[in-house]
Amino acid sequence: MARIIVLGSGFAGNTAALNLKKALGRKHEVVVISPRKHFSYIPSWIWVGVGSMKPEKTQFDLTPVYEKFGIEFKNGAAEEIHPDSVDRYVVVKYTDGKTEQVKYDYLINATGPKLNFAATPGLGPDEGYSDSVCSLPHAVKTRDNFLKAVEKMKQGKRQKFVVGTGHGTATCQGAAFEYIHNLEFEIAKRGLRNMADITWISNEPTLGDFGVGGVVVRRNGNFISGKLFAESTFREKGIKWVDKAHVRKVKEGSLDYVNIEGKEGSLDFDFAMLIPPFAGIPISYIDKDGSDIKSQMCVPSGFMKVDADYTSGTKPFEEWKNSDWPKKYNNPLYKNIFAAGIAFAPPHPISKAFKAPDGTLIAPSAPRTGMAAGIIGHTVALSIIDMVKNGAEEPTYSASMAEFGAICITSMGKSMTRGSAALLTMYPVVPNYDKHKFGRNLNYTFGDIGLAGHWVKYMLHYLFIWKMKGKFLWQYIPD
Amino acid sequence: MENKNDDDLMEYVPYTSDSRSFIAPTKYTLFTRLFIPWQLIKFAYYNIKMLKILSKGSGRFMDE
């Protein structure tokens, strides 16, 4: 009997756990360890952050799901991993302070990110002056602050809104892009648009980069860049923008930034929603001698090393290759430890990295969306199933971000008759300029804006929650 | 939503860096983006597009 531990219960962890248990049945144990007993549909938090969706609609309790599947659930946080011991184990710390050693044969690290607000002084809702939609409590607080600003506008007080990324290496520009459009939509819906100054600030080299090196699509007989698409939406809504920017400091009511050219500036705000950079969840890795081997297991940001070429990160953009990207997601030192979703360390960003003249790195990190996380979690599960059932010595399934595509639906307003979203598909996620002139296969790379995009986004919200609950025919819903 | 005509869509200042290259939707484009019969067709089209990219596969057996 094999025991597989999954750390985390998000897109990657939950997808892996359900698929593992379905394939391995009662003969083998699947254990999920997570400090949160809810699955959260994170893409809808941008709606929570403007008050257009109730928080409880974005999450559900995993306990009955795991009971139904026969998955053991431990509601605690993984603190240590001991990969060298004869009985390899994870140390779990529960909310009451008790700890437990849980043995494993295979381990999937799908812990997601730590929100690294500390990277920028004054960033974040807890100890800083900006809001965030990167956790549900943050999204709720953001909603409350946004609605307070709306009330002030109703009283005739003009308000300044700043939305974007709070650090030069932040990711998830797409989420911030969705948020700024939903914020504008909600303000316009209330007839208050002339009372709001809305500004976008981002670390992207150009608008529409989204941390994936931009996207070129074929439209009306022309090749159109994502830059034009993003600019078009901002011009349409009267949103100003600052790109190529690293936010140096957030203060009460203003922020300071520097851009790639070294130009310094500041923006005043009454409300700011800024995405922080991500880091790996702090977990200790202890070898048989009791030494901490985290530096061998993880990159400095704390994400776990997998089968990527990490030497490529020191090379210039022109020398990055698709083969740098991982395929099997197991750790080079311990073949039975995998990292899925945001927990794995990418070899380098997808977008070109820039530095300000003073050396400040301005480089959007590679986004790992829910779809990518689900695909990777599923692939890792398939490899482990093959190793457990058929005795495969190496992972046998692959899913490289340089080989699979992604569907991104960028909400621009939540309403079934007046709403809108930009639907963007790209194939592959990591552009391949050796193979494709514009980096991607344009037969599968597509972009459009309209009400139908919102319907798709809304449909996927319920479809994925259905899948993650493991309801009827869940396994046929794509990752 | 508040735009009444094409002139309201953006502030166009000639001979600025913004005016050298720009793209903005026309009134007709904004109308079609919310015109439900057309959007129903688009909804079907988007689903086909998504199925197409999903058919390209994700996780694969290494021998394939």
Side-chain angles (χ1 to χ4, degrees), chain A residues 185 193 228 232 235-236 328 375 379 396-398 407 419 426-427 444 448-449 451-453 456 459 478, chain B residues 1-2 9 18 22-23 25 30 33-34 39 42-43 45-47 50 53-54 56 58-62:
Chain A
F185 180 84
R193 185 62 187 89
L228 288 180
S232 161
R235 286 201 167 92
E236 178 196 339
K328 300 183 282 187
I375 289 171
T379 303
T396 44
Y397 284 80
S398 85
I407 299 164
M426 60 184 84
Y427 182 84
Y444 299 96
D448 199 7
I449 301 175
L451 178 60
V456 173
M459 175 186 77
Chain B
M1 288 172 75
E2 289 187 331
L9 294 177
D18 269 3
F22 77 93
I23 184 169
L30 292 175
R33 281 182 187 170
L34 294 176
Q39 290 300 316
K42 287 254 179 177
F43 181 71
Y45 178 65
Y46 290 168
N47 278 285
M50 289 192 295
I53 196 165
L54 290 169
K56 291 291 287 180
S58 45
R60 293 165 190 220
F61 192 66
M62 296 286 270

Side-chain angles (χ1 to χ4, degrees), chain A residues 31 43 55 57 63 65 78 105 109 145 191 205 238 243 266 281 311 320 332 335 355 373 385 427 435 441 448 453:
Chain A
V31 182
K57 283 200 169 182
T63 318
V65 178
D105 296 298
N109 178 357
N145 287 339
D243 56 10
S266 67
I281 294 285
T311 61
W320 292 351
K335 302 285 182 193
K355 277 185 180 174
I385 291 162
Y427 182 84
K435 198 171 175 186
N441 184 333
D448 199 7

Side-chain angles (χ1 to χ4, degrees), chain A residues 92-300:
Chain A
V92 185
K93 188 173 186 182
Y94 298 102
T95 45
D96 60 5
K98 288 179 184 168
T99 57
E100 183 189 0
Q101 292 181 5
V102 188
K103 292 174 188 173
Y104 69 86
D105 296 298
Y106 298 91
L107 177 71
I108 302 175
N109 178 357
T111 44
K114 174 191 163 195
L115 305 176
N116 190 15
F117 289 111
T120 303
L123 184 69
D126 299 325
E127 292 170 17
Y129 305 100
S130 63
D131 284 299
S132 144
V133 288
C134 296
S135 77
L136 193 54
H138 289 174
V140 171
K141 192 175 176 188
T142 302
R143 175 200 65 189
D144 295 343
N145 287 339
F146 169 66
L147 294 177
K148 277 181 203 164
V150 167
E151 283 308 310
K152 284 181 187 168
M153 286 190 288
K154 282 182 183 168
Q155 291 162 14
K157 290 177 192 164
R158 195 170 185 82
Q159 295 288 289
K160 289 177 180 170
F161 297 87
V162 174
V163 176
T165 53
H167 191 270
T169 62
T171 183
C172 283
Q173 292 80 9
F177 189 81
E178 285 188 271
Y179 188 77
I180 198 168
H181 278 288
N182 275 272
L183 176 138
E184 194 279 339
F185 180 84
E186 291 296 322
I187 291 170
K189 194 172 83 178
R190 292 165 168 88
L192 296 166
R193 185 62 187 89
N194 59 347
M195 297 296 293
D197 296 317
I198 308 175
T199 307
W200 168 258
I201 184 162
S202 160
N203 56 353
E204 298 161 286
T206 62
L207 285 186
D209 182 273
F210 295 126
V212 291
V215 177
V216 173
V217 295
R218 208 162 26 203
R219 293 278 293 166
N220 304 326
N222 294 290
F223 298 113
I224 306 280
S225 75
K227 177 177 181 285
L228 288 180
F229 153 79
E231 281 188 13
S232 161
T233 66
F234 282 173
R235 286 201 167 92
E236 178 196 339
K237 305 279 181 73
I239 297 169
K240 294 172 185 165
W241 66 85
V242 176
D243 56 10
K244 314 177 185 74
H246 162 75
V247 175
R248 279 189 159 154
K249 191 174 186 181
V250 184
K251 296 172 282 188
E252 191 171 2
S254 73
L255 63 81
D256 299 335
Y257 66 87
V258 61
N259 75 4
I260 289 169
E261 288 93 31
K263 202 171 147 187
E264 298 192 9
S266 67
L267 291 172
D268 293 336
F269 63 80
D270 298 294
F271 171 98
M273 198 296 288
L274 300 169
I275 304 279
F278 293 165
I281 294 285
I283 299 176
S284 302
Y285 296 83
I286 313 290
D287 75 0
K288 58 178 180 289
D289 303 324
S291 309
D292 191 336
I293 52 167
K294 187 162 186 174
S295 59
Q296 296 168 50
M297 296 287 288
C298 298
V299 297

Side-chain angles (χ1 to χ4, degrees), chain A residues 452-472:
Chain A
H454 171 70
W455 296 339
V456 173
K457 176 117 184 152
Y458 203 66
M459 175 186 77
L460 293 184
H461 171 99
Y462 288 102
L463 198 67
F464 273 96
I465 286 180
W466 182 276
K467 178 185 168 78
M468 291 296 158
K469 282 181 175 175
K471 286 193 169 183
F472 184 57

